Amino acid sequence: MQCQRCGFVGTGLNGRCSRCGYQQETISAVGNRLPRAIQIRPISTAPASEIALMRGDVLRKGRYRLLEEVKLPKNQQGQGTAWLAVDTQSTRSRVLIRRCTFPNHTEEQAARIIESIVTRLTQLSQHQGFPPVVDVFSEYRAYYIVQQYPAGESLAFLMQQQGGALHEREIAEYGRQLCAILTVLASQQPPLVHGAISPETIIVNLQARQVSLIFLPLFSPDALSKDTSSGYMAPEQVRGDIRPSSDLYSLAASMHHAVTGFDPRERLIHFYPPARRLNPVVTSGMEAILSKELRLSVNQRYASPVEMQRDLQTLLSSYPSVSETPPPPGQMYSPASQPSRKPRQQRTIFVLVGACIALVLILVAALPFINNANQAAQRNAQKNAQEAAWRAELAQEQQLLDKKGIGLSDGSFIFDTYPGRSDVALKKQAAQALQKGDMANAVNFFSQAVSSDPTDGEAQIYNENLHVLQSGSSYITIVLGIAFDSGADDLLRARPDTQGAFIAQYEINKQGLLPHGLKLRILIDSCGPQRADVSTVAQLVANRVKKAGNPDHIVGVVGWPFSSQTINALDIIASVHLPLVSPASSVKLTGSSPYFFRIDPPDDVEGKLLANASQQMHVKTVFVLRDPTDPYSVSLADAFSASASKLGIQVINNQAGHFTESKTTVADYQKIVADAESHGVNQIFIAGYSIDGIRLAHALGNAIRNAPYNTTLSNLSVLGGDGVDTTLVIGQGNGPDAQIAATFPQDMRHLSFTAYCAPNEWDFLHIAKNQQPPFFTDWVSFYQGAGVATTNIQPPGNDSMMATDGVQLIAKATTYVQGDLIGQSTRDALASLGHGNVLAFQGVTGRFTYDKQGNPIDKAMVVLSVVQKGNENVIDLQNVVGTFR
């Protein structure tokens, strides 16, 4: 049996969910019938208020999946809660669910109240403009009333999209229909009052030119809370006298805002200047209607909605017909009506000349139609070519996934199938459903996957993508470039990257941070273990944009984690004018493309910080290790060597200082340690990754154990760059290197390294909790979900925090775009951050403002060390440098 709350299939003893502990409840008859048969059995003594619904929960045995909580008007916030949800059993899937509890009533009394509410709403839905009731049911001591969510957008959204006043004719028509709706409310016994009419509660279906009214109060006007903050409320309602006349006033206030652009919430309450003074194109008829209804005295306004509707109908009749056009120039003067005084020959010449002129006029008049026909043919040909390219692209992506396990996915393909994931089967079922176009089952399986393993960032992203599609909202897309493979180091970067990117996606969509009401989707572009394959998967992004017409509305790319990958991808991404925001730090990327932006400082800046850290550790001689095949390693080693030399530290670079990332063994490193000891060095600097740091530190530990009285070895430390900063160094993750770090924690305490951020950086800098970003609380909220012990929750790290900032940076840039929201305009907005009137962006990892080479200016960095805390190792923050805020 499927849990009614979390969707998990399978229940334990006494019908209680094995995962979330929810007590299953029998649901009585509902559907299209009135709820006379509803009976709630008292199966729990816990008050209903203790059961908190969450986004992604399912109700009614999985039929309704919650998308987001809807904020009710302030005067109805004592009338339960409301959720926007998906009805998986309906083609018109969006519904509004009202949840009501009655802690002070018996079950029989509560059932009678719900019956009267549903009866009233059902009767109203017989009239146009009122959402129909599609279901009513009870679960766990709460009642749920389900209404169809009207198709269209709110009047407030249309006004925001327009950026000013809307067309008067349309507002007059919407007002006429709303007067009819208010007439129905006023005719009820007793009369019903909405009490919260505003542009937010008026839904407009542009295609059908119809309006609906949402958030009808469930209880009587007496149960409405007092709200004096709305600028649309009538004077008598503000005083607590709620009557039908106040709804008509609120309608007129909303219309006044729509035709003038004058927001009443930003001015003195009940102050509505004449409409034509604010917008000269408003007609005198509309101004008269609004002026009459917006008077302070009820007796001086319209006596009923019918009277205002009649005047609006008269106004609509006075507008010119939409089909009415001025006569063509040839009909303004007719030569045939004039007396003929010319000889026959002259008349013949005039006839020929007139015929020629007429022919020319016909040709000239026909040219636009010919051009339009040609343009239409060209558009159709282009559309067909793009559709063919799209099909070819999807086929190529499928082949790449089957052959190499790499590709570009919105949820149709799964990359993270490696050890440590408990939801792989569910993710694969979701992907298969999505490939077949079965959206309902795809949502169901991804939601189960997220419930099974809340720490799976890939599943979280795909689940959010489907919520965006099901909401019917317009969207843009950001591509996340990562490398999913079985290697421990790659896996410990890819997984945090997806976790951090999802937190950013969730916050952007939940808080409405994108312009024009847009939502955000994320595509995952995984290159797998081979660095060279990044160019292949980057080309998939370019093909979607250039060949297929950018059906995903991609505006930017975040990635890839390593400099060598980013170098291979950059030119391909830039060729389709998309900005690439990357954590890659090699100096080779500095100024390499106008489309490249870093999340972190380049290696030459990090090299100075590392050299300063060595100086503070009183290092006199340092042995430098580099991988000559990796641009990042060479870049960082060179930068560190140059800076250390300037500080008077002796730098030893020789052939023995070469290693190969992730391949040099502990035994090989022991030879390097011996060579370093023979030179009497104080420190070994390694420009590599966490696996390399672990093996080197373990080799040093072995050397110390073999020669416990060798003071040169015992005083030797290991310093690394940001590549070392993963939780692998404290024994987390899978594989032999994690096992080394866990088995020999004392060896890991030789390690210090730099990074671009740390989770406790805000606390370290004594920044108050209420001034810290929501990222940290959201991290705990999402990743300590059902089935994950709190003690197993790891704080966010370098990679997850930078992934969040990468996504948030591109999203923030879109808010500054003027005109078309495309890759080029997003790139230009990114470059403007922190310059002129554009504010710098405050990210989780610090402040962002860019120089002309795509480098963040004076971006904050941190120095970290592995230290013992209690019985375990932790990564400890030592210092913060640069501008953080």
Side-chain angles (χ1 to χ4, degrees):
M1 187 168 109
Q2 187 180 48
C3 177
Q4 299 162 8
R5 186 172 191 275
C6 73
F8 178 68
V9 178
T11 53
L13 188 65
N14 298 326
R16 188 175 294 278
C17 177
S18 303
R19 174 172 298 113
C20 69
Y22 176 65
Q23 175 69 60
Q24 308 302 299
E25 181 140 12
T26 303
I27 302 176
S28 302
V30 277
N32 293 325
R33 291 186 294 154
L34 296 181
R36 293 183 182 277
I38 288 182
Q39 299 291 330
I40 301 181
R41 294 185 294 109
I43 54 178
S44 173
T45 58
S49 58
E50 292 183 7
I51 305 302
L53 294 178
M54 296 184 295
R55 181 175 166 277
D57 282 354
V58 293
L59 298 171
R60 194 82 156 99
K61 293 185 177 180
R63 175 174 177 178
Y64 304 109
R65 188 167 304 281
L66 303 184
L67 293 177
E68 57 182 330
E69 186 171 1
V70 178
K71 187 176 181 180
L72 287 169
K74 286 187 177 180
N75 63 350
Q76 291 185 32
Q77 289 179 6
Q79 300 193 6
T81 57
W83 285 82
L84 188 64
V86 171
D87 183 353
T88 60
Q89 297 181 15
S90 172
T91 55
R92 298 182 64 185
S93 60
R94 285 205 302 175
V95 293
L96 183 70
I97 299 181
R98 299 290 296 268
R99 181 179 188 268
C100 300
T101 58
F102 302 93
N104 299 323
H105 293 76
T106 65
E107 293 171 12
E108 184 178 354
Q109 290 172 331
R112 282 201 298 269
I113 295 171
I114 288 294
E115 179 178 349
S116 65
I117 293 171
V118 175
T119 300
R120 182 172 71 249
L121 294 178
T122 302
Q123 291 172 348
L124 289 173
S125 67
Q126 307 304 313
H127 303 276
Q128 182 175 306
F130 294 98
V133 177
V134 296
D135 198 2
V136 57
F137 59 95
S138 64
E139 282 186 19
Y140 205 69
R141 289 193 154 185
Y143 286 93
Y144 298 87
I145 301 172
V146 185
Q147 292 177 282
Q148 185 92 51
Y149 195 85
E153 301 286 354
S154 70
L155 183 61
F157 175 80
L158 297 179
M159 291 160 60
Q160 180 185 8
Q161 192 176 46
Q162 176 70 18
L166 299 178
H167 197 282
E168 178 186 314
R169 182 198 296 267
E170 298 300 317
I171 299 304
E173 172 58 26
Y174 303 153
R176 184 193 67 79
Q177 294 183 37
L178 287 162
C179 283
I181 291 173
L182 294 184
T183 299
V184 173
L185 290 178
S187 65
Q188 302 299 301
Q189 294 299 326
L192 297 179
V193 179
H194 186 283
I197 294 177
S198 71
E200 282 78 15
T201 59
I202 298 170
I203 303 297
V204 179
N205 185 333
L206 290 175
Q207 292 183 337
R209 296 186 73 233
Q210 291 181 348
V211 295
S212 302
L213 203 54
I214 58 172
F215 300 145
L216 288 172
L218 301 183
F219 306 102
S220 66
D222 296 337
L224 291 175
S225 305
K226 187 174 181 180
D227 175 19
T228 61
S229 61
S230 173
Y232 303 97
M233 284 188 175
E236 63 273 17
Q237 184 173 352
V238 172
R239 295 191 299 268
D241 183 9
I242 302 175
R243 55 172 103 170
S245 65
S246 58
D247 275 349
L248 197 59
Y249 181 98
S250 296
L251 168 58
S254 301
M255 292 173 63
H256 186 279
H257 186 179
V259 297
T260 65
F262 177 94
D263 191 336
R265 295 166 298 185
E266 298 177 357
R267 302 292 188 273
L268 293 173
I269 189 170
H270 305 136
F271 174 64
Y272 290 91
R276 288 161 61 83
R277 184 188 305 170
L278 301 172
N279 183 2
V281 301
V282 175
T283 64
S284 58
M286 174 62 81
E287 181 181 76
I289 293 172
L290 297 178
S291 295
K292 180 175 182 178
E293 180 52 35
L294 291 172
R295 292 170 180 165
L296 296 177
S297 172
V298 176
N299 295 332
Q300 294 177 346
R301 303 181 211 149
Y302 286 103
S304 68
V306 173
E307 290 187 10
M308 184 170 164
Q309 181 183 10
R310 187 182 304 120
D311 282 358
L312 285 170
Q313 184 61 60
T314 302
L315 179 63
L316 285 164
S317 301
S318 69
Y319 295 135
S321 172
V322 176
S323 62
E324 185 179 309
T325 57
Q331 295 180 7
M332 301 297 290
Y333 171 78
S334 176
S337 63
Q338 302 299 317
S340 178
R341 298 186 180 91
K342 302 292 183 181
R344 181 175 181 179
Q345 184 177 7
Q346 287 181 323
R347 289 201 303 272
T348 302
I349 293 173
F350 288 153
V351 169
L352 290 173
V353 172
C356 291
I357 292 172
L359 181 60
V360 171
L361 289 174
I362 291 172
L363 289 173
V364 170
L367 278 176
F369 296 99
I370 296 172
N371 289 335
N372 288 340
N374 290 335
Q375 292 172 0
Q378 292 174 357
R379 286 195 297 269
N380 287 334
Q382 182 182 18
K383 181 179 179 182
N384 291 336
Q386 289 175 347
E387 289 178 352
W390 177 245
R391 290 191 295 270
E393 179 65 21
L394 293 179
Q396 180 186 0
E397 292 173 9
Q398 182 67 62
Q399 291 173 0
L400 274 174
L401 183 79
D402 295 340
K403 185 178 180 179
K404 292 188 171 184
I406 63 176
L408 181 64
S409 177
D410 62 350
S412 301
F413 307 139
I414 302 301
F415 298 121
D416 189 2
T417 59
Y418 300 103
R421 288 275 85 100
S422 61
D423 60 345
V424 173
L426 290 166
K427 290 199 297 183
K428 288 182 176 179
Q429 288 177 289
Q432 291 167 1
L434 198 56
Q435 290 174 18
K436 296 175 184 178
D438 185 355
M439 186 77 73
N441 273 321
V443 170
N444 184 44
F445 285 127
F446 272 131
S447 294
Q448 290 185 51
V450 168
S451 297
S452 173
D453 186 357
T455 65
D456 188 345
E458 181 187 33
Q460 293 276 18
I461 286 172
Y462 296 154
N463 192 39
E464 178 70 12
N465 286 346
L466 291 181
H467 283 305
V468 170
L469 293 179
Q470 286 195 314
S471 71
S473 302
S474 299
Y475 58 83
I476 59 173
T477 298
I478 293 174
V479 176
L480 177 66
I482 52 178
F484 267 120
D485 67 80
S486 58
D489 198 62
D490 282 348
L491 207 56
L492 276 178
R493 295 181 191 278
R495 283 176 172 171
D497 278 348
T498 57
Q499 289 176 314
F502 166 69
I503 293 293
Q505 181 187 23
Y506 167 77
E507 291 177 356
I508 288 164
N509 289 339
K510 179 67 175 178
Q511 299 173 29
L513 300 181
L514 293 176
H516 316 302
L518 293 168
K519 298 294 185 183
L520 175 65
R521 291 172 70 236
I522 291 179
L523 302 184
I524 296 179
D525 200 25
S526 175
C527 65
Q530 301 301 321
R531 302 288 188 259
D533 281 338
V534 73
S535 59
T536 302
V537 296
Q539 192 62 54
L540 299 179
V541 178
N543 290 346
R544 286 199 180 195
V545 173
K546 187 173 182 180
K547 294 182 179 180
N550 201 7
D552 302 293
H553 310 292
I554 298 171
V555 298
V557 178
V558 176
W560 276 254
F562 302 114
S563 295
S564 58
Q565 297 169 328
T566 302
I567 289 171
N568 289 338
L570 178 56
D571 288 344
I572 297 170
I573 299 300
S575 70
V576 290
H577 306 291
L578 291 176
L580 177 61
V581 178
S582 173
S585 58
S586 171
V587 292
K588 285 188 175 181
L589 287 161
T590 298
S592 58
S593 169
Y595 293 92
F596 175 70
F597 298 86
R598 295 187 199 272
I599 304 174
D600 49 82
D603 288 337
D604 52 356
V605 175
E606 184 178 6
K608 294 178 182 178
L609 174 61
L610 285 161
N612 288 331
S614 287
Q615 186 182 50
Q616 291 172 6
M617 297 167 75
H618 307 292
V619 171
K620 301 299 182 183
T621 307
V622 62
F623 197 84
V624 177
L625 306 184
R626 58 165 55 76
D627 180 351
T629 65
D630 179 26
Y632 160 75
S633 181
V634 173
S635 173
L636 185 60
D638 289 348
F640 170 77
S641 298
S643 296
S645 296
K646 290 180 181 179
L647 293 175
I649 299 173
Q650 183 183 358
V651 176
I652 299 177
N653 291 288
N654 60 22
Q655 189 62 34
H658 290 176
F659 72 99
T660 302
E661 290 162 356
S662 304
K663 294 182 179 179
T664 299
T665 65
V666 173
D668 293 331
Y669 279 118
Q670 285 188 213
K671 296 176 183 177
I672 292 175
V673 170
D675 188 35
E677 188 267 339
S678 68
H679 285 85
V681 303
N682 307 108
Q683 189 175 74
I684 301 176
F685 174 76
I686 183 165
Y689 299 102
S690 54
I691 287 176
D692 311 305
I694 289 170
R695 294 177 185 179
L696 175 58
H698 183 44
L700 175 58
N702 287 340
I704 293 173
R705 282 184 286 275
N706 291 334
Y709 302 109
N710 187 319
T711 56
T712 300
L713 288 174
S714 61
N715 292 326
L716 193 58
S717 63
V718 177
L719 180 65
D722 61 284
V724 179
D725 182 29
T726 74
T727 54
L728 205 66
V729 300
I730 55 175
Q732 294 174 7
N734 302 304
D737 297 288
Q739 187 63 38
I740 290 173
T743 306
F744 298 93
Q746 70 276 19
D747 294 352
M748 300 305 108
R749 295 171 203 147
H750 297 296
L751 275 172
S752 294
F753 42 89
T754 53
Y756 302 118
C757 59
N760 57 338
E761 198 170 356
W762 293 76
D763 292 331
F764 187 88
L765 295 173
H766 307 292
I767 300 172
K769 291 290 186 184
N770 60 4
Q771 297 181 34
Q772 297 183 18
F775 170 84
F776 299 105
T777 54
D778 286 337
W779 180 274
V780 173
S781 175
F782 276 100
Y783 301 136
Q784 70 172 41
V788 179
T790 304
T791 55
N792 291 334
I793 299 304
Q794 300 305 322
N798 188 65
D799 296 290
S800 56
M801 293 168 70
M802 288 199 297
T804 291
D805 275 353
V807 174
Q808 292 276 18
L809 269 167
I810 295 177
K812 184 64 176 180
T814 64
T815 65
Y816 294 110
V817 170
Q818 300 293 326
D820 294 338
L821 186 49
I822 57 177
Q824 180 64 53
S825 58
T826 304
R827 177 265 158 211
D828 295 342
L830 269 170
S832 72
L833 292 175
H835 302 286
N837 295 325
V838 180
L839 297 175
F841 173 69
Q842 179 61 52
V844 181
T845 66
R847 184 200 68 173
F848 287 88
T849 179
Y850 286 103
D851 63 18
K852 293 183 179 180
Q853 295 182 313
N855 294 326
I857 300 172
D858 194 30
K859 175 78 165 27
M861 295 186 65
V862 298
V863 179
L864 306 167
S865 292
V866 177
V867 301
Q868 184 177 8
K869 186 176 182 180
N871 296 322
E872 60 183 8
N873 279 355
V874 297
I875 298 174
D876 189 54
L877 176 59
Q878 304 292 314
N879 193 20
V880 178
V881 297
T883 302
F884 184 72
R885 296 182 82 190

